[in-house]
Amino acid sequence: MYPLASLRITVVCGILLAADWVKEGGAEEISEPSNSVNITIPSLPPPVVLVQPDFIPVGANYSVYCQAARHFPNMTLSLYYRELQSASPEELQLLGSLTLEGTDTVIRARLPKIAAGERVEYSCRMEVIYSQRLYRSPFSAPATATAEEAPVRLVSQFQGPVCAGKLQMFAKGSWAPVCQDRNQGPSDRDAVALVVCRQLRCGDVHQVNPTSSSPAHRGELFMGPVECSGKEANLRECSIKGLESSCYKGRVLEIVCSDFLPLPTLSVLGYGGASSVYVYEKHELEISCTLSPQGKTDAAFELEVRGQTIFTGPAMHPGQSVSWRLDPPVSPGEYKCYAVVYGFDYRTKSSASNSVIVTTGPWFPPSPGLIVGALITILIGVGILVYMCVCRKRKEESE
């Protein structure tokens, strides 16, 4: 060793490659490298915190996980929380700590039912004892548990109606289409639709169709799959898997509730609201179908007899009607009309109107005037006969 020398250390990525003694002053003289020594600089990576499920409806239980990047001996994971309801959230509070045994790297906290409006932020950190020294990791990135009110809506091309369209649920700050699994059958879809129509106060289920997700849906989040019994008051009370990044393997539900398509009314000109009429085989008949004023949108009409469509009418506004003139010979049978709405992925047809049974025959029914005249004549004749009988009886008694 030189009497006046300094130590030059070469370190790459925290590893000492070599140490050389360098003579001070004059020409540089370097000794042979010493043996290599590894120097470990402690740096614990932060753990990861995760809230499951990612969608938590009001009143549901949930779990919070804290997971270390890898296993360390003598490792302790600590979970912290703070409530976010106030404008200035408090500092993180310790929820609990656990020293892991064996090769475990995860701790889990099961939390009770989350209340409406509740928002809680969670974070965790790791502590490791090594060579009688305590090392702490930075805090993990936070994860938030939010109580979702999860309102629903039906979206369509029609302005104003809320009782028909593709089903969406509001979660994580945005509206997400509800995606159902392809394996779910009609009864499963009907149960979901029943809950939605009840929640929106739109009556019963009229029609529910599984439709493919449109290109406009790509890149957005989807809710589901959803499983309901049909007795729930709100869709959030059903079993909901959570948010998904696509609906490639599923179908978006399109629901039409009964209040969207009120029943049309069928009537026959000259017969008022009669449920059955007789038509002379050589006479024509005029039938009218009226859309209820409480209708939510315009609708076309179809007239059926014996289950076969015989006429269609143009789209009309709620409260308007369309009439059909049936030339002789009029087909006998049960007549009904329907309101038809175009604009959904599937053709939407209302329930049937009231029915009118039409019968035809070769005899010509007398006019109401003739019938009234005949009745008056009969009554006069009966009155005369009664008068004659009374007079004769009185005459006989007087004799």
Side-chain angles (χ1 to χ4, degrees):
M1 180 179 296
Y2 296 97
L4 296 174
S6 63
L7 181 63
R8 183 172 65 186
I9 301 175
T10 303
V11 180
V12 178
C13 297
I15 300 177
L16 176 64
L17 298 183
D20 303 319
W21 288 102
V22 182
K23 182 180 179 180
E24 293 183 356
E28 182 180 42
E29 297 183 22
I30 303 175
S31 70
E32 293 296 326
S34 68
N35 59 303
S36 298
V37 178
N38 290 335
I39 297 177
T40 302
I41 301 176
S43 178
L44 294 178
V48 175
V49 67
L50 181 67
V51 175
Q52 287 290 341
D54 52 0
F55 168 73
I56 310 173
V58 172
N61 300 325
Y62 65 99
S63 297
V64 180
Y65 296 85
C66 178
Q67 181 172 9
R70 63 186 181 88
H71 172 72
F72 292 91
N74 302 318
M75 177 173 60
T76 299
L77 294 178
S78 300
L79 189 60
Y80 296 81
Y81 77 98
R82 62 176 175 178
E83 297 182 354
L84 301 178
Q85 287 89 327
S86 61
S88 56
E90 59 187 11
E91 295 297 323
L92 286 170
Q93 304 291 318
L94 178 64
L95 182 63
S97 299
L98 183 65
T99 300
L100 303 183
E101 299 179 354
T103 59
D104 290 341
T105 60
V106 182
I107 64 172
R108 174 189 179 187
R110 298 179 180 177
L111 283 304
K113 296 180 179 180
I114 190 166
E118 186 175 349
R119 294 180 66 240
V120 185
E121 182 182 270
Y122 294 93
S123 189
C124 65
R125 71 188 311 178
M126 177 173 56
E127 296 178 348
V128 174
I129 298 176
Y130 180 72
S131 296
Q132 299 182 348
R133 295 187 63 182
L134 178 64
Y135 299 93
R136 287 190 178 95
S137 75
F139 279 102
S140 67
T144 303
T146 304
E148 299 280 2
E149 293 284 357
V152 299
R153 69 180 184 182
L154 296 175
V155 181
S156 68
Q157 68 178 27
F158 302 100
Q159 296 294 325
V162 296
C163 294
K166 293 185 177 179
L167 176 60
Q168 294 184 354
M169 175 178 281
F170 190 82
K172 300 293 183 182
S174 62
W175 287 99
V178 174
C179 180
Q180 291 297 85
D181 194 284
R182 292 174 185 263
N183 296 326
Q184 292 180 301
S187 60
D188 298 316
R189 296 193 292 268
D190 290 344
V192 172
L194 183 63
V195 175
V196 171
C197 291
R198 180 187 301 124
Q199 182 175 348
L200 295 177
R201 299 181 180 180
C202 289
D204 296 324
V205 179
H206 176 74
Q207 184 174 310
V208 54
N209 304 307
T211 67
S212 300
S213 57
S214 66
H217 288 149
R218 293 173 186 169
E220 64 181 330
L221 292 177
F222 292 82
M223 181 64 72
V226 180
E227 293 183 1
C228 301
S229 67
K231 299 179 180 179
E232 297 84 354
N234 298 281
L235 195 64
R236 65 170 179 263
E237 298 175 10
C238 300
S239 173
I240 303 175
K241 182 178 179 181
L243 291 167
E244 300 289 340
S245 59
S246 72
C247 192
Y248 175 72
K249 295 183 178 180
R251 291 286 185 266
V252 175
L253 289 186
E254 186 177 68
I255 299 171
V256 179
C257 302
S258 58
D259 284 3
F260 178 76
L261 288 171
L263 289 177
T265 303
L266 185 68
S267 60
V268 179
L269 183 65
Y271 292 86
S275 59
S276 62
V277 299
Y278 173 83
V279 182
Y280 177 50
E281 62 183 8
K282 294 184 178 181
H283 274 187
E284 60 185 21
L285 188 69
E286 187 171 341
I287 293 182
S288 178
C289 191
T290 304
L291 186 63
S292 170
Q294 286 74 39
K296 300 294 191 295
T297 187
D298 296 352
F301 292 96
E302 290 184 357
L303 180 65
E304 287 187 2
V305 58
R306 298 189 301 274
Q308 299 294 321
T309 301
I310 59 173
F311 286 106
T312 60
M316 309 290 287
H317 298 306
Q320 292 184 319
S321 62
V322 62
S323 297
W324 297 276
R325 187 178 297 276
L326 310 181
D327 295 327
V330 175
S331 298
E334 185 180 19
Y335 285 76
K336 299 177 181 179
C337 70
Y338 298 83
V340 182
V341 176
Y342 299 92
F344 298 104
D345 282 13
Y346 289 80
R347 180 171 175 267
T348 303
K349 186 176 179 180
S350 74
S351 299
S353 68
N354 58 299
S355 62
V356 176
I357 298 176
V358 176
T359 55
T360 61
W363 59 275
F364 186 83
S367 66
L370 292 177
I371 295 176
V372 172
L375 288 174
I376 293 175
T377 302
I378 292 172
L379 290 174
I380 293 174
V382 170
I384 294 173
L385 288 175
V386 171
Y387 176 77
M388 292 178 63
C389 290
V390 171
C391 290
R392 178 177 295 179
K393 186 175 181 181
R394 289 179 177 178
K395 184 178 180 181
E396 290 176 353
E397 290 176 352
S398 62
E399 292 177 355

